[in-house]
Amino acid sequence: MLIVSCPNCGITAEETEFHAHGEAHITRHAVGSSDDQMETYLFMRKNPKGVHFERWRHQYGCGKWFHMARCTMTLEVFGTYSAQTYSPPDDLLARIDARRPGWREAT
Amino acid sequence: MSTRLATGGRLLNKSTSVKFRFNGKYMRGYEGDTLASALLANDQMLVGRSFKYHRPRGIVAAGPEEPNGLVNLGEGSDFEPNARVTTTELFDGLRAESQNHWPSLEFDVGAINKHLSRFLPAGFYYKMFIHPRPLWKHVYEPIIRHSAGLGRAPKTRDEDTYEHFYAFCDVLVIGGGVAGLEAARASALSGARVIVMEQTAHWGGRTPVDGGDINGMPAQDWIDATLAELGAMENVTLRTRTMGAGVYDHGYVLGYERLTDHNPEAQGPRHRLWRVRAGHIITATGAIERPLSFAGNDIPGVMLAASVRDYVVNYGVSAGDRTVVVTNNDDAYLTAIALKEAGLDVPAILDARVLPEDSAAMARAKELGIRVLMGHGVSSVKGGKRVTSVAVCSQAGEGSVLEEIACDAVAMSGGWSPVVHLWSHCGGKLMWDTANACFSPDPDQPPKGADGGQFVSTAGAASGVFQLDDGLNDAFAAADGTLRCLGRKLPRDAKASQGSRNDEAPMAPVWLMPQGASVKLREKAWLDYQNDVKVSDVRLAAQEGFVSVEHAKRYTTLGMATDQGKLSNINGLATLANALGEDIPSVGTTTFRPPYHPISMAVIGGEARDAAFQPIRRTPMHDWHASNGAEFEPVGQWRRPYAYVKSGESTHDAVMREVTNTREKMGLLDASTLGKLIVKGPDAGWFLDMLYTNMMSTLKVGKCRYGLMCNDNGFLIDDGVVARIDEDTWLCHTTTGGAESIHAHMEEWLQTEWWDKKVYVANVTEQYAQIAVVGPNARNALEKLGGMDVSKEALGFMEWADGVIGGFNVRVYRISFSGELSYEIAVDAGQGQAFWDALMAVGADLGAMPYGTECLHILRAEKGFIMIGDETDGTVIPQDLNLHWALSKKKEDYLGKRAHQRSHMADPDRWKLVGLETTDGSTLPDGAYAVGEGNNANGQRNMIGRVTSSYHSPTLGKGIAMGLVHNGPDRMGEVLEFPGTDGKTYSARIVDPVFYDKEGAKQNV
Ligand SMILES: [Zn+2]
């Protein structure tokens, strides 16, 4: 059971207080998009063995959404950050670079 | 025979005799005995039968690795199957029965299977029972179910209580042997919060049996002193009878404390589940001795050498009068010496090794006059229900018998394997230790925690370090490393405890005895005692292509018994590696999964049973319902009245009465559970247009509109009536089950996609009590209560208004889910009961009666209204339900719109909603499938539709149903066949789904 820190309310708590909702930074495609774009949006996920950016919600706490960068293999948590962003913050990416050299090529 | 010795038994209190019963026979033991030691003291070596061949099985071990000694314990509400005799502490009045035999332990009919063993090879079930297929269900499965399984399932309710206990610490030490105590002592010196868990009732592990000095004193004295030191420290918690069951992500550990198993009369919970979050975990879990693979190694009386020693030293019990010791290492010599010193006969030590010179232990054994045969092993053990002799051979050969030695016990040792389970649970890797022929933890590949750092360390024998001095140093170093991980330090003057050292000769790996054993011998050399897996089975699996250890395990069932391969694992791997011509490390191990040793199901549940199982949500009028005949049904966590049953009525009668009464007079429904979400803000209209398939921004203040919600996959997820409260405020009704999920759905989109929009959502479901006043007399009742104008002119259909009725502040919605004149009236939750009472009072002369959810369902089904969860199942789109009218064409975008254009969604060839009417007026079985022409690829009838809702309608006097049927609306009038699970076939005609008042004349008055 993971330990998760909510960047919205600052609480660090057991995983049971949170809910994971899959891959982060998915672009929504809507009316006017191609079938391929729709397929990518609705179904295609990276499912990496390694660094993964995820959407989480502090379900039984403040109720807010946030993002988490995590290693799916070792369960190391690189950091959590705001849900209101299109990409992970630079300092977090730098931390992941240091912990997992070469991870960008792998994903 | 096995018996109680006159001397010895360091764990016994010989002044307290204990009476117990085994298979109906009364026996005696002492306080401090385990059930295993007490059985052996009563010469009860035979304790069970094996799984497949029903072979006689005796006690093999003295700890949790015991594969054979499983019994049914207790009776009635205390009954427990599969209790392990070696981990069951004896108490007065204990009752145990052996398992897996019929008719008796001594005479078992199933043992005939052993004569069939040639026909029951690895993978037998897979090979035998696949053809012919129809025989499986009625012939094979019942027979297998009858003969399979070990213990019985309890038949009565467990009256004991269980609890969960949350704990936090810096260092959790699992294992209270000398390594665990040393690691705990060193860790605690830093001031860290330390918890130590020991699975048995005693501290110190094996060391008091094996001997040795620590810091110049006998090991037991050091153990006592260290316990006293730890006990005096406020930062240390010590728990015996508490097993570390599993290590999970980020330092989460489950501990299993058995509080009253040894004393069932005691008050309080029986088991306690420790839910620990530890900064770092030190596993000092020791090692388990391995059996040797020789023919007849499963005959009762063949035991692990160190366990034989344990029984002598700890319990003053001898496994036999004459014990042959067979080994590949020095440790088993300690057993021979202990037996000899206890006055027992050891006719020979068969040592598979050939060594240039004697080690200290070998010299001591010879001094005591024990005959030692180097380079020798067991060709086979003779005996049936008990060992009678051992045929000796040369280990290097193929099993030619050199001599036969009469004996009644065999003590075997194939070396030791560290208990690496807890290290491995969270990804710690193993490495092959050539010197000790075992897998041990690889310190360079530890389990990693949240910060990417190591969070589990091992200490002592669990590290693969078997000498006392090395073990203590290892434990001290583990504590030192642990504290560094935690950013703490050992005090400068802290020193490791110093243990003594025995000079040992190296062990030699022996995976088959003799090394060239013939097929005949291999067929009698057991690897897994409980599941009856032999050396020959694993070799057969390899021959048949099961080269992966995980596949071979499942094919042969090696290590899949309740002991989870504690004894069989390494021997099985080595056998597989040997058969494949590979080395053991490249074959690898199977996966270690928690729990280390079975824990009770009840302790996992803990306090969560009965009323405490889950919270129940009650509406403000719940108690009134309960005292007025309501039969409740769970709807999410709510309890809603299903029907209000009067005396003399059946539930069905009550439902029929409620429907008729509501249609003809007046019904009251507690609709408080319906979700109520306030959506407010400058962008609220835009937001609701995105969430609902129809237009909500154009809704006028004071009006209501029925809306549909899809997810972005296009599937229907919720429906309900939306009311516009003011310029920037809407109130969205959701289904009862959808209040929380739709609220979360809204928040998700607002927070993660449209965070620039100014919208606020509040779930106010529980702030209001909501009552549906339904039926021709509804308006009459409200007018009698007096207050706001509720006439058609003042408050039309699909309008709402705030006002006062009967002195209550109310919000009235003119909406109808029944097809009748209907007002849904919301009051503050605190006024709910009073308002309900007022309605019941004023309605008394008007025929007012409460109605429940089943009546609600029938009323809506008669009207052809869909119900989320009945007509929808997560794969249904609005078009399937003929709800095209609710899909806005004006809006450029809404959730699900683009998905509805995908080819399968836009396909006209889908199952669609229709009404169904049985040809004979009966009621269709809910969920039944309509069958069409021909068969599918599996030879089953092709399906062309299914029933989604089905009821008896008292209004129409017949069964009515809704269903999804292939191209249904184009097939009006067609009669379909629905085979039921009752063997009958129902015929129903496709009709319009609106059975009642299609024009809506009754609701719009
Ligand atoms: Zn939070």
Side-chain angles (χ1 to χ4, degrees), chain B residues 432-573:
Chain B
W432 182 249
D433 173 349
T434 311
N436 292 304
C438 64
F439 281 106
S440 57
D442 180 353
D444 294 333
Q445 300 186 77
K448 304 270 181 67
D451 60 359
Q454 176 172 358
F455 79 97
V456 182
S457 302
T458 58
S463 304
V465 174
F466 297 112
Q467 281 278 0
L468 183 56
D469 57 343
D470 294 341
L472 289 167
N473 285 335
D474 184 66
F476 188 82
D480 187 28
T482 293
L483 294 173
R484 279 173 213 274
C485 289
L486 296 172
R488 290 173 174 271
K489 265 195 202 141
L490 276 170
R492 204 164 294 172
D493 57 352
K495 275 205 226 45
S497 301
Q498 298 302 312
S500 56
R501 185 175 187 89
N502 292 319
D503 283 320
E504 278 190 356
M507 62 88 71
V510 170
W511 305 118
L512 187 58
M513 180 172 271
Q515 62 90 22
S518 63
V519 177
K520 212 174 145 219
L521 293 178
R522 293 202 301 261
E523 276 180 353
K524 288 183 192 148
W526 259 255
L527 292 168
D528 187 318
Y529 296 101
Q530 205 182 99
N531 268 2
D532 274 326
V533 182
K534 300 166 294 178
V535 170
S536 52
D537 293 317
V538 172
R539 291 174 75 117
L540 179 64
Q543 229 173 56
E544 294 185 355
F546 290 88
V547 297
S548 148
V549 59
E550 296 283 7
H551 292 159
K553 164 181 164 174
R554 283 155 183 81
Y555 191 57
T556 60
T557 71
L558 175 90
M560 288 171 67
T562 63
D563 61 331
Q564 290 284 289
K566 287 189 183 71
L567 294 189
S568 59
N569 195 312
I570 302 294
N571 286 351
L573 294 177

Side-chain angles (χ1 to χ4, degrees), chain A residues 6 8-11 18 58 61-64:
Chain A
C6 173
N8 299 304
C9 67
I11 279 177
F18 299 85
H58 195 179
C62 67
K64 297 286 188 211

Side-chain angles (χ1 to χ4, degrees), chain B residues 209 235 264 269 337 393 450 454 571 601 689 734 759 783 815 977:
Chain B
V209 176
N235 54 332
I337 294 163
C393 66
Q454 176 172 358
N571 286 351
M601 295 301 290
D689 280 349
T734 73
V759 183
E783 283 171 347
I815 54 181
E977 290 203 334

